[in-house]
Amino acid sequence: MPTTVARPASLKRVAAASFTGTALEWYDYYLFGTAAALVFNTAFFTDLDPLAGTLASFATFAIGFVARPLGAAVFGHVGDRYGRKRSLLITIVMMGAVTGAMGILPTYETIGLAAPALLIVLRFLQGIAMGGEWSGASALITEHSEQRNRGFYAMLPQLGNPVGILVGVGVFTLLTNIQSPESFQAWGWRVPFLLAVPFTIVALWIRTAIDESRHFAAEAGGAEAEVAERRIPLVQVFRAEKTRLLAGIGVAFLGIAGYYFSDTFLLNYGTRQLGIDISFLLNAGLVASVLNIPLFVLWGLYANRVGGTTIAVIGGIATVLFAYPMFVLVGQGSALAVAVAMVTGSTLVSISFAASGQILNELFPTATRQSGIGLAYNLAGAVSGFVPFIATVIIDTAGDARLWATAGLLVVIALITLGSTVAARRLRLPDLDATVD
């Protein structure tokens, strides 16, 4: 199997390629999550009452997460058999095309039931593309790095999260500030989706110049390559690495579910139930993203010294300790209190998320790495996609205990990640520590 071996000088290009793609991924997902909270319930689910429309929007939001494991399986196979680069070129084009199409999708008023049907199809395709995006980017940059700087470089795909969200929040905030609510609901929400197209072109241009990793090249050309060719990576993961897969799902859970808990769910609750101005809470998301960018870098650098598992444990414990104080703030009902809760929650869950890439890559061998980390990350995402839906149901039905019960959901998520991180430390493989010429 012909493969271009990575050169040391290519590390910066690989870092840029990994970062820009995942930034676009989170930009796209933030757009859909925010639009689901603010627009889609009236644009595509017009015949439903407000609560039912919101739940239908969040259910559509969750469909993308359900599709992600399928994308992880498909592109994990491509990445493990034919190269991380080939996988990443396909996912970035698919991601940009689908998100751009959402920006020109007619509403229910124009084409009736075909509108939500097409939205669901596009969301499913978006989920497939993104199911392969993070795993390819994470495997590629981690395999390029060395043990002494792995914590930082493995963090870069995660850094795409606050940067992508920052751009998404910035665009939404600008539009809601310069447009009337009527104009934003009518057409303004489409602009951020259309902007994904030029972003995609830039990311594609960067990716065409990257090299494959030495680890993948060695695996592809090694003595066992002929035997490996007859294996299906996905089957190998389920057959021989089930325990690692389960641990990986738990490791990724808090970082993904926590963001949609503190951002998407609280944004919807604050605007729908508490009547807080949309722009104010979008600005809170902007502040959280700005804070998380330097914090991600710091956690990545610290992971170089103490390891990713230690960082993830710190994040899990901090989330457990501060989950209930967060909802004490939410219970006050003021715009400032809810905004502080959103920023606090986003900052807390970012700790575990920043370290998750390193932990996941060290769980799986090179031959099945992209399939393994992709499945773990995206199966966690499939469950996480339902978190805003579940939290909305809890807070609308739990009566006087609604805030405590909703905070308890976040605590459970954090505890799952804590236990899984401890298990992952014991299952760590030395593959990435080996010197590859």
PDB file of all heavy atoms in Angstrom, residues 6 12 46 57 98 138 189 193 209 245 260 271 281 288 298 332 337 350 352 359 388 397 436:
ATOM      1  N   ALA A   6       5.576  10.738   6.856  1.00  0.00           N
ATOM      2  CA  ALA A   6       5.595  12.090   7.394  1.00  0.00           C
ATOM      3  C   ALA A   6       7.014  12.589   7.596  1.00  0.00           C
ATOM      4  O   ALA A   6       7.899  11.867   7.993  1.00  0.00           O
ATOM      5  CB  ALA A   6       4.848  12.135   8.718  1.00  0.00           C
ATOM      6  N   LYS A  12       3.602  21.061  11.532  1.00  0.00           N
ATOM      7  CA  LYS A  12       2.764  22.263  11.616  1.00  0.00           C
ATOM      8  C   LYS A  12       1.604  22.192  10.641  1.00  0.00           C
ATOM      9  O   LYS A  12       0.485  22.618  10.965  1.00  0.00           O
ATOM     10  CB  LYS A  12       3.619  23.508  11.348  1.00  0.00           C
ATOM     11  CG  LYS A  12       4.619  23.813  12.448  1.00  0.00           C
ATOM     12  CD  LYS A  12       5.390  25.088  12.155  1.00  0.00           C
ATOM     13  CE  LYS A  12       6.393  25.387  13.267  1.00  0.00           C
ATOM     14  NZ  LYS A  12       7.170  26.627  12.987  1.00  0.00           N
ATOM     15  N   THR A  46     -43.853  23.656  12.188  1.00  0.00           N
ATOM     16  CA  THR A  46     -44.814  24.731  12.405  1.00  0.00           C
ATOM     17  C   THR A  46     -46.111  24.269  13.052  1.00  0.00           C
ATOM     18  O   THR A  46     -46.717  24.997  13.842  1.00  0.00           O
ATOM     19  CB  THR A  46     -45.134  25.410  11.052  1.00  0.00           C
ATOM     20  OG1 THR A  46     -43.903  25.795  10.437  1.00  0.00           O
ATOM     21  CG2 THR A  46     -46.008  26.634  11.243  1.00  0.00           C
ATOM     22  N   SER A  57     -37.290  19.565  17.420  1.00  0.00           N
ATOM     23  CA  SER A  57     -36.032  20.149  16.940  1.00  0.00           C
ATOM     24  C   SER A  57     -34.836  19.462  17.577  1.00  0.00           C
ATOM     25  O   SER A  57     -33.849  19.127  16.910  1.00  0.00           O
ATOM     26  CB  SER A  57     -36.000  21.652  17.259  1.00  0.00           C
ATOM     27  OG  SER A  57     -37.009  22.333  16.550  1.00  0.00           O
ATOM     28  N   VAL A  98     -22.917  19.569   2.945  1.00  0.00           N
ATOM     29  CA  VAL A  98     -24.187  19.332   3.636  1.00  0.00           C
ATOM     30  C   VAL A  98     -24.600  20.553   4.446  1.00  0.00           C
ATOM     31  O   VAL A  98     -25.774  20.966   4.422  1.00  0.00           O
ATOM     32  CB  VAL A  98     -24.084  18.089   4.540  1.00  0.00           C
ATOM     33  CG1 VAL A  98     -25.307  17.974   5.430  1.00  0.00           C
ATOM     34  CG2 VAL A  98     -23.936  16.828   3.685  1.00  0.00           C
ATOM     35  N   SER A 138      -7.667  13.362  14.845  1.00  0.00           N
ATOM     36  CA  SER A 138      -7.022  13.036  16.112  1.00  0.00           C
ATOM     37  C   SER A 138      -5.946  11.973  15.935  1.00  0.00           C
ATOM     38  O   SER A 138      -4.836  12.089  16.480  1.00  0.00           O
ATOM     39  CB  SER A 138      -8.075  12.559  17.118  1.00  0.00           C
ATOM     40  OG  SER A 138      -7.508  12.340  18.381  1.00  0.00           O
ATOM     41  N   TRP A 189     -30.902  33.414   9.908  1.00  0.00           N
ATOM     42  CA  TRP A 189     -30.303  32.193  10.445  1.00  0.00           C
ATOM     43  C   TRP A 189     -29.586  31.381   9.372  1.00  0.00           C
ATOM     44  O   TRP A 189     -28.730  30.537   9.689  1.00  0.00           O
ATOM     45  CB  TRP A 189     -31.369  31.325  11.107  1.00  0.00           C
ATOM     46  CG  TRP A 189     -32.422  30.792  10.164  1.00  0.00           C
ATOM     47  CD1 TRP A 189     -33.606  31.375   9.857  1.00  0.00           C
ATOM     48  CD2 TRP A 189     -32.364  29.568   9.411  1.00  0.00           C
ATOM     49  NE1 TRP A 189     -34.308  30.604   8.960  1.00  0.00           N
ATOM     50  CE2 TRP A 189     -33.565  29.485   8.668  1.00  0.00           C
ATOM     51  CE3 TRP A 189     -31.428  28.546   9.308  1.00  0.00           C
ATOM     52  CZ2 TRP A 189     -33.843  28.420   7.824  1.00  0.00           C
ATOM     53  CZ3 TRP A 189     -31.708  27.478   8.465  1.00  0.00           C
ATOM     54  CH2 TRP A 189     -32.897  27.419   7.732  1.00  0.00           C
ATOM     55  N   PHE A 193     -24.872  29.082   8.064  1.00  0.00           N
ATOM     56  CA  PHE A 193     -24.766  27.803   7.369  1.00  0.00           C
ATOM     57  C   PHE A 193     -24.060  27.971   6.025  1.00  0.00           C
ATOM     58  O   PHE A 193     -23.229  27.147   5.636  1.00  0.00           O
ATOM     59  CB  PHE A 193     -26.160  27.193   7.169  1.00  0.00           C
ATOM     60  CG  PHE A 193     -26.774  26.670   8.430  1.00  0.00           C
ATOM     61  CD1 PHE A 193     -27.522  27.483   9.252  1.00  0.00           C
ATOM     62  CD2 PHE A 193     -26.593  25.343   8.799  1.00  0.00           C
ATOM     63  CE1 PHE A 193     -28.088  26.999  10.425  1.00  0.00           C
ATOM     64  CE2 PHE A 193     -27.164  24.844   9.961  1.00  0.00           C
ATOM     65  CZ  PHE A 193     -27.908  25.678  10.781  1.00  0.00           C
ATOM     66  N   ALA A 209      -1.932  19.284   1.396  1.00  0.00           N
ATOM     67  CA  ALA A 209      -0.472  19.359   1.510  1.00  0.00           C
ATOM     68  C   ALA A 209       0.107  18.522   2.653  1.00  0.00           C
ATOM     69  O   ALA A 209       1.309  18.515   2.867  1.00  0.00           O
ATOM     70  CB  ALA A 209      -0.048  20.825   1.701  1.00  0.00           C
ATOM     71  N   LEU A 245     -13.043  -0.228  23.974  1.00  0.00           N
ATOM     72  CA  LEU A 245     -14.096   0.574  23.367  1.00  0.00           C
ATOM     73  C   LEU A 245     -15.039   1.131  24.428  1.00  0.00           C
ATOM     74  O   LEU A 245     -15.391   2.313  24.400  1.00  0.00           O
ATOM     75  CB  LEU A 245     -14.873  -0.278  22.361  1.00  0.00           C
ATOM     76  CG  LEU A 245     -16.053   0.403  21.659  1.00  0.00           C
ATOM     77  CD1 LEU A 245     -15.580   1.602  20.852  1.00  0.00           C
ATOM     78  CD2 LEU A 245     -16.782  -0.595  20.758  1.00  0.00           C
ATOM     79  N   TYR A 260     -23.154  20.202  25.310  1.00  0.00           N
ATOM     80  CA  TYR A 260     -24.526  20.395  24.881  1.00  0.00           C
ATOM     81  C   TYR A 260     -25.470  20.601  26.059  1.00  0.00           C
ATOM     82  O   TYR A 260     -26.550  21.174  25.915  1.00  0.00           O
ATOM     83  CB  TYR A 260     -24.968  19.224  24.003  1.00  0.00           C
ATOM     84  CG  TYR A 260     -24.282  19.288  22.666  1.00  0.00           C
ATOM     85  CD1 TYR A 260     -23.334  18.347  22.302  1.00  0.00           C
ATOM     86  CD2 TYR A 260     -24.541  20.339  21.799  1.00  0.00           C
ATOM     87  CE1 TYR A 260     -22.670  18.442  21.087  1.00  0.00           C
ATOM     88  CE2 TYR A 260     -23.886  20.439  20.593  1.00  0.00           C
ATOM     89  CZ  TYR A 260     -22.961  19.491  20.234  1.00  0.00           C
ATOM     90  OH  TYR A 260     -22.298  19.609  19.036  1.00  0.00           O
ATOM     91  N   THR A 271     -34.089  30.985  27.309  1.00  0.00           N
ATOM     92  CA  THR A 271     -34.937  31.786  26.421  1.00  0.00           C
ATOM     93  C   THR A 271     -36.400  31.353  26.466  1.00  0.00           C
ATOM     94  O   THR A 271     -37.302  32.191  26.469  1.00  0.00           O
ATOM     95  CB  THR A 271     -34.420  31.693  24.971  1.00  0.00           C
ATOM     96  OG1 THR A 271     -34.362  30.317  24.569  1.00  0.00           O
ATOM     97  CG2 THR A 271     -33.043  32.301  24.849  1.00  0.00           C
ATOM     98  N   LEU A 281     -27.662  35.602  26.101  1.00  0.00           N
ATOM     99  CA  LEU A 281     -27.134  34.270  26.355  1.00  0.00           C
ATOM    100  C   LEU A 281     -26.159  33.822  25.263  1.00  0.00           C
ATOM    101  O   LEU A 281     -25.218  33.073  25.534  1.00  0.00           O
ATOM    102  CB  LEU A 281     -28.282  33.269  26.475  1.00  0.00           C
ATOM    103  CG  LEU A 281     -29.184  33.450  27.705  1.00  0.00           C
ATOM    104  CD1 LEU A 281     -30.208  32.323  27.794  1.00  0.00           C
ATOM    105  CD2 LEU A 281     -28.348  33.508  28.998  1.00  0.00           C
ATOM    106  N   ALA A 288     -17.614  32.148  27.092  1.00  0.00           N
ATOM    107  CA  ALA A 288     -17.126  30.805  27.429  1.00  0.00           C
ATOM    108  C   ALA A 288     -16.125  30.306  26.401  1.00  0.00           C
ATOM    109  O   ALA A 288     -15.085  29.725  26.753  1.00  0.00           O
ATOM    110  CB  ALA A 288     -18.303  29.835  27.529  1.00  0.00           C
ATOM    111  N   LEU A 298      -3.489  25.536  27.892  1.00  0.00           N
ATOM    112  CA  LEU A 298      -2.854  25.279  29.183  1.00  0.00           C
ATOM    113  C   LEU A 298      -3.023  23.822  29.602  1.00  0.00           C
ATOM    114  O   LEU A 298      -2.071  23.184  30.072  1.00  0.00           O
ATOM    115  CB  LEU A 298      -3.431  26.209  30.254  1.00  0.00           C
ATOM    116  CG  LEU A 298      -3.054  27.688  30.138  1.00  0.00           C
ATOM    117  CD1 LEU A 298      -3.795  28.510  31.183  1.00  0.00           C
ATOM    118  CD2 LEU A 298      -1.542  27.856  30.310  1.00  0.00           C
ATOM    119  N   GLN A 332     -32.018  31.026  40.231  1.00  0.00           N
ATOM    120  CA  GLN A 332     -32.267  32.437  40.511  1.00  0.00           C
ATOM    121  C   GLN A 332     -33.054  33.098  39.390  1.00  0.00           C
ATOM    122  O   GLN A 332     -33.742  34.099  39.602  1.00  0.00           O
ATOM    123  CB  GLN A 332     -30.951  33.164  40.737  1.00  0.00           C
ATOM    124  CG  GLN A 332     -30.214  32.723  42.002  1.00  0.00           C
ATOM    125  CD  GLN A 332     -28.921  33.484  42.210  1.00  0.00           C
ATOM    126  OE1 GLN A 332     -28.633  34.469  41.520  1.00  0.00           O
ATOM    127  NE2 GLN A 332     -28.115  33.035  43.169  1.00  0.00           N
ATOM    128  N   ALA A 337     -27.280  35.369  36.133  1.00  0.00           N
ATOM    129  CA  ALA A 337     -27.041  34.103  36.824  1.00  0.00           C
ATOM    130  C   ALA A 337     -26.988  32.939  35.835  1.00  0.00           C
ATOM    131  O   ALA A 337     -26.117  32.065  35.925  1.00  0.00           O
ATOM    132  CB  ALA A 337     -28.128  33.859  37.867  1.00  0.00           C
ATOM    133  N   SER A 350     -14.701  21.368  29.697  1.00  0.00           N
ATOM    134  CA  SER A 350     -13.596  21.481  28.746  1.00  0.00           C
ATOM    135  C   SER A 350     -12.322  20.817  29.261  1.00  0.00           C
ATOM    136  O   SER A 350     -11.459  20.435  28.469  1.00  0.00           O
ATOM    137  CB  SER A 350     -13.314  22.957  28.447  1.00  0.00           C
ATOM    138  OG  SER A 350     -12.692  23.596  29.547  1.00  0.00           O
ATOM    139  N   SER A 352     -11.876  17.833  30.891  1.00  0.00           N
ATOM    140  CA  SER A 352     -11.844  16.437  30.461  1.00  0.00           C
ATOM    141  C   SER A 352     -11.774  16.322  28.949  1.00  0.00           C
ATOM    142  O   SER A 352     -11.084  15.457  28.405  1.00  0.00           O
ATOM    143  CB  SER A 352     -13.079  15.696  30.976  1.00  0.00           C
ATOM    144  OG  SER A 352     -13.073  15.621  32.374  1.00  0.00           O
ATOM    145  N   ILE A 359      -5.944  10.269  25.565  1.00  0.00           N
ATOM    146  CA  ILE A 359      -6.351   9.028  26.238  1.00  0.00           C
ATOM    147  C   ILE A 359      -6.895   8.025  25.223  1.00  0.00           C
ATOM    148  O   ILE A 359      -6.532   6.841  25.238  1.00  0.00           O
ATOM    149  CB  ILE A 359      -7.408   9.321  27.309  1.00  0.00           C
ATOM    150  CG1 ILE A 359      -6.868  10.293  28.358  1.00  0.00           C
ATOM    151  CG2 ILE A 359      -7.865   8.032  27.982  1.00  0.00           C
ATOM    152  CD1 ILE A 359      -7.915  10.810  29.321  1.00  0.00           C
ATOM    153  N   PRO A 388     -29.758  17.289  25.612  1.00  0.00           N
ATOM    154  CA  PRO A 388     -30.671  18.436  25.691  1.00  0.00           C
ATOM    155  C   PRO A 388     -32.138  18.009  25.754  1.00  0.00           C
ATOM    156  O   PRO A 388     -32.939  18.609  26.478  1.00  0.00           O
ATOM    157  CB  PRO A 388     -30.374  19.210  24.392  1.00  0.00           C
ATOM    158  CG  PRO A 388     -28.989  18.829  24.033  1.00  0.00           C
ATOM    159  CD  PRO A 388     -28.856  17.391  24.441  1.00  0.00           C
ATOM    160  N   THR A 397     -40.802  18.388  33.894  1.00  0.00           N
ATOM    161  CA  THR A 397     -41.712  17.415  34.530  1.00  0.00           C
ATOM    162  C   THR A 397     -41.383  17.115  35.992  1.00  0.00           C
ATOM    163  O   THR A 397     -42.182  16.482  36.676  1.00  0.00           O
ATOM    164  CB  THR A 397     -41.701  16.084  33.757  1.00  0.00           C
ATOM    165  OG1 THR A 397     -40.379  15.544  33.737  1.00  0.00           O
ATOM    166  CG2 THR A 397     -42.184  16.285  32.326  1.00  0.00           C
ATOM    167  N   VAL A 436       9.571   5.121  15.434  1.00  0.00           N
ATOM    168  CA  VAL A 436       9.323   4.640  14.080  1.00  0.00           C
ATOM    169  C   VAL A 436      10.156   5.439  13.097  1.00  0.00           C
ATOM    170  O   VAL A 436      10.041   6.672  13.043  1.00  0.00           O
ATOM    171  CB  VAL A 436       7.825   4.744  13.707  1.00  0.00           C
ATOM    172  CG1 VAL A 436       7.601   4.215  12.297  1.00  0.00           C
ATOM    173  CG2 VAL A 436       6.984   4.000  14.705  1.00  0.00           C
TER     174      VAL A 436
END
